[in-house]
Amino acid sequence: MKKVDAIIKPFKLDDVREALSDIGITGMTATEVKGFGRQKGHTELYRGAEYVVDFLPKVKIELVVAEEQVDQCIEAITNASRTGKIGDGKIFVSPIEQVVRIRTGETGKEAI
């Protein structure tokens, strides 16, 4: 099993959710986060004063999938969230040792 974390632009969340649903991914967690990478933020004007926005709003998607679904999952997220502009985001994949469904006590792939 693998954990896939994706940091994407907020307006792409529905597109990514639909793309994952289309390939059979049934569960995910989405969290509003702030951060920056190469994009490094930007300056804005508010009431005549210029200020720097260092941390940009993003959405972090977390899902755990079977190892054989990882490549398909990455492809779906990438295709659905790509705009071609700076700040499109990143995908991180990590190993998962154990999963337990609290309600039933199921473990492993059955608990995903």
Side-chain angles (χ1 to χ4, degrees), residues 27-103:
M28 64 182 238
T29 301
T31 310
E32 292 180 7
V33 297
K34 291 184 179 188
F36 69 91
R38 289 185 185 162
Q39 199 174 2
K40 301 243 188 347
H42 60 280
T43 59
E44 288 188 5
L45 203 58
Y46 179 72
R47 295 188 176 181
E50 191 175 273
Y51 66 99
V52 177
V53 178
D54 289 331
F55 289 92
L56 301 167
K58 301 287 182 181
V59 171
K60 180 180 182 182
I61 299 170
E62 299 172 85
L63 48 143
V64 175
V65 297
E67 207 153 328
E68 55 271 8
Q69 291 179 297
V70 172
D71 291 335
Q72 197 177 15
C73 180
I74 290 171
E75 184 179 348
I77 294 169
T78 302
N79 291 339
S81 62
R82 181 182 289 135
T83 66
K85 297 181 180 153
I86 194 166
D88 274 352
K90 294 233 178 5
I91 299 172
F92 305 96
V93 180
S94 311
I96 293 291
E97 291 184 24
Q98 182 65 284
V99 176
V100 177
R101 184 183 313 261
I102 295 172
R103 179 177 55 85

